[in-house]
Amino acid sequence: MTLAAGPAAVGPLQLLPDALNASFKLVPAIMVSAMLLLFLGIGYAFRVADTEDLWVAGRSIGNVENGMAIGANWMSAASYLGMAALIALSGYYGLAFVVGWSTGYFILLIFLAAQMRRFGKYTAPDFVGDRFDSDAARAIAALTTILIGFVYSVGQARGMGLVGIYVFGGDYVTMVVLLMGITVGYLALSGMLGATKNMAVQYVILIVAFLAGLYAVGWTQGYSTVAPQIEYGALLSQLDSEFTEPFATGGVYIWVATAFSLIVGTCGLPHVLVRFYTVESERTARWSTVWGLFFICLLYLSAPAFAAFGTDLYAENVGEVYGANGMSGAEGDVIVVIASQLANLPTWFVGLVAAGGIAAAIATTAGLFIAASSAAAHDIYTNIVNPDASQRQQLLVGRATIIGLGAIVTLVALDPPALVGELVAYAFSLAGLVLFPMFFLGLWWENANRQGALAGMTTGLLIWFAAIVNEVLPAYVGFLADAAGESGAIVPLYADVFPAIGAALAGTPVVFAVTILVSMATAEPDEEIKRIVRQCHSPEPMGQQQSAEEVAATDGGTDAVTDGGTAVEADAGDAADGTTEPTED
């Protein structure tokens, strides 16, 4: 189905936003260049020498700093630019993104953050491989991680390119190549430690830029005074019904499906889960999630107001917002910058807003690429291909993955298949279908086994690939386009049940059921694995560098009481075995 009200969501996108003043601007160019040099400098200052720093920053990050890193890692171009774009182009439907991306963190906080930290590995595929004692499951999770990084990063590269042409002028292709080249360069050098330090700085830049832009537009145009996040409601009666009417651009099912996919996708994203491995303790993991949610909500509660202001300014100064001659998808993707521009704010100030968009895109791309590189170097190369790999070899493979993935993402971003927010939502749908069920069942049901995990992950992948082939690829592959016809989907019924952007609503319960049924029909996991799962729920703290596997192996035979195979809190008083308790923030 078409998500946007205008023609941009149908077929290949119009790449350039006509309403954007795309020309070289000296002061914004200096600001953005200084920002990029700062990122490179921080990356160099915290450059890595070993895999511990490359993958998990030495497990040394505190809760507030990690919360800021979560915020920056999370608030990508899809949040900074794409969320306002989706609300501007599709009105009420766009609120599904606000609901989905916020609610997911509550699930993470309650069910996954501390337990993941206690498991204590390097990567999300590491968890899947060790928990289910399967290299095949590890490989599927690693390939899924790389695929998520690819799909997700295309949206970031598009955001960088669109904002870059406002600051530097030139053409879209040059901006995508230039900014992605800078991102890949500093990532290959710095790894997770440098990226985390950068993310804290990037968060400050993006949130200051976004909120400053929102308040300035609201104040100068008479929309709001001190609380634009609430006051924009007075503007709704003046906006087009396609913006304000519930389900005008999509039915109830697609709204719920999108929100649900984003919720479970949040809990399955490898670059989000790895943030819990970078902290010193499970308590820090919980509190960094709380801080991250706070930092995220500062922007999410503001995006609808920015979308409303931008839509009204566009209608007054440019033309129709909806319909055949309405706002293009490219214009929607930079509605935050366009709103600041149409409000006649100083050029340097609009440049600040644009710089925030670039910072947001780079921060998320950093997390995605590191997660993908660790999946390739640690989970595939070291754990499957070459178990005797040296740290130098792992670093080389990891950096080569970053460079290779960066090149592929850059090429695809030159002609992206969807809006920034939609591209990211496809990645969330994949994470919610394939990885979230494994994380949840792996931590909360000790009888989930290898056969169940393999069956469930394979089912999730098939559902997602079928949805993408059914709806997304027909716009680019001739014979698929002929098969899809005017409906845009090869099998319309499948698209109704498993829409590409929200396939997890119907698909994730199927994956859960397959995993559980196959696990029940086959042999239970080894007792050693069950003990590790129980240790993930122990109330006793662990050492900073310890994992649940290490503690379970030395706990002297004290097992948790179980009820129906579900792990409950265990008395692991002897688990630490003399280990000094970690310092907690």
Side-chain angles (χ1 to χ4, degrees), residues 141-151 371-373 375-376 380 401 405:
L143 292 174
T144 301
T145 297
I146 295 171
L147 184 58
I148 289 171
F150 164 68
V151 175
S373 70
I380 295 178
T401 302
L405 184 60

Side-chain angles (χ1 to χ4, degrees), residues 203-577:
Y203 175 78
V204 173
I205 293 172
L206 74 88
I207 199 63
V208 168
F210 194 88
L211 293 180
L214 175 65
Y215 274 88
V217 171
W219 179 267
T220 60
Q221 303 307 301
Y223 294 132
S224 62
T225 52
V226 296
Q229 297 86 350
I230 299 173
E231 293 174 272
Y232 84 95
L235 180 63
L236 296 181
S237 61
Q238 303 174 35
L239 298 177
D240 194 289
S241 62
E242 292 190 65
F243 186 96
T244 58
E245 182 182 345
F247 314 120
T249 53
V252 176
Y253 184 83
I254 189 65
W255 196 98
V256 175
T258 301
F260 182 87
S261 283
L262 298 177
I263 291 170
V264 296
T266 299
C267 300
L269 285 178
H271 76 290
V272 172
L273 272 295
V274 76
R275 296 248 47 98
F276 304 131
Y277 291 143
T278 66
V279 297
E280 57 192 9
S281 70
E282 59 268 26
R283 181 178 184 273
T284 308
R286 288 193 186 99
W287 275 106
S288 62
T289 307
V290 174
W291 278 108
L293 185 59
F294 168 73
F295 292 137
I296 289 166
C297 284
L298 287 179
L299 187 144
Y300 279 15
L301 294 175
S302 303
F306 226 144
F309 297 166
T311 301
D312 190 59
L313 287 169
Y314 189 95
E316 288 182 2
N317 296 280
V318 180
E320 296 180 16
V321 178
Y322 304 112
N325 298 315
M327 184 190 301
S328 70
E331 289 169 330
D333 271 338
V334 285
I335 191 64
V336 170
V337 181
I338 288 178
S340 304
Q341 173 189 300
L342 295 178
N344 296 315
L345 297 175
T347 301
W348 68 266
F349 190 91
V350 183
L352 173 65
V353 176
I358 293 175
I362 289 177
T364 298
T365 304
L368 291 165
F369 276 26
I370 290 173
S373 70
S374 62
H378 177 71
D379 296 301
I380 295 178
Y381 181 71
T382 304
N383 281 286
I384 298 176
V385 177
N386 182 13
D388 298 322
S390 66
Q391 286 203 359
R392 181 176 179 275
Q393 289 174 316
Q394 292 182 59
L395 289 171
L396 287 174
V397 173
R399 285 168 173 155
T401 302
I402 290 172
I403 294 170
L405 184 60
I408 297 171
V409 166
T410 301
L411 288 174
V412 175
L414 301 182
D415 186 16
L419 298 173
V420 171
E422 291 175 306
L423 282 167
V424 170
Y426 296 149
F428 276 74
S429 185
L430 174 60
L433 282 165
V434 179
L435 295 179
F436 168 67
M438 301 307 108
F439 297 155
F440 192 90
L441 289 174
L443 288 169
W444 288 95
W445 188 43
E446 65 181 40
N447 285 340
N449 65 9
R450 177 192 301 120
Q451 294 85 350
L454 290 172
M457 295 172 78
T458 303
T459 300
L461 278 172
L462 290 174
I463 291 173
W464 186 81
F465 272 114
I468 294 298
V469 172
N470 191 42
E471 284 185 77
V472 180
L473 293 187
Y476 296 89
V477 181
F479 72 91
L480 292 179
D482 294 337
E486 295 182 1
S487 69
I490 300 172
V491 183
L493 179 60
Y494 190 87
D496 290 340
V497 179
F498 300 101
I501 205 167
L505 177 62
T508 299
V510 172
V511 174
F512 266 90
V514 168
T515 305
I516 291 170
L517 290 173
V518 173
S519 294
M520 293 176 66
T522 52
E524 293 184 1
D526 294 339
E527 184 62 27
E528 179 184 353
I529 291 177
K530 292 184 178 183
R531 288 163 60 85
I532 294 173
V533 176
R534 295 165 194 163
Q535 180 58 37
C536 289
H537 300 271
S538 168
E540 295 295 327
M542 300 193 311
Q544 181 174 332
Q545 302 300 331
Q546 281 187 305
S547 68
E549 181 179 2
E550 294 166 344
V551 175
T554 59
D555 78 352
T558 302
D559 285 342
V561 178
T562 61
D563 182 10
T566 300
V568 295
E569 289 187 350
D571 178 9
D574 296 328
D577 196 21

Side-chain angles (χ1 to χ4, degrees), residues 64-75:
V64 176
E65 184 179 12
N66 200 50
M68 295 176 74
I70 286 173
N73 198 16
W74 180 254
M75 285 186 292

Side-chain angles (χ1 to χ4, degrees), residues 154-202:
V154 171
Q156 311 314 306
R158 171 168 168 75
M160 289 184 209
L162 290 173
V163 175
I165 62 174
Y166 171 81
V167 176
F168 297 103
D171 62 274
Y172 172 79
V173 171
T174 300
M175 286 301 101
V176 170
V177 173
L178 174 65
L179 293 173
M180 281 297 295
I182 292 173
T183 303
V184 168
Y186 107 76
L187 274 179
L189 177 70
S190 64
M192 180 61 81
L193 183 60
T196 299
K197 301 298 182 182
N198 257 320
M199 284 173 189
V201 176
Q202 288 158 350

Side-chain angles (χ1 to χ4, degrees), residues 88-112:
L89 288 169
S90 54
Y92 188 89
Y93 171 77
L95 294 179
F97 289 77
V98 179
V99 172
W101 282 336
S102 302
T103 307
Y105 271 88
F106 288 98
I107 308 299
L108 279 172
L109 174 62
I110 297 169
F111 294 106
L112 297 178

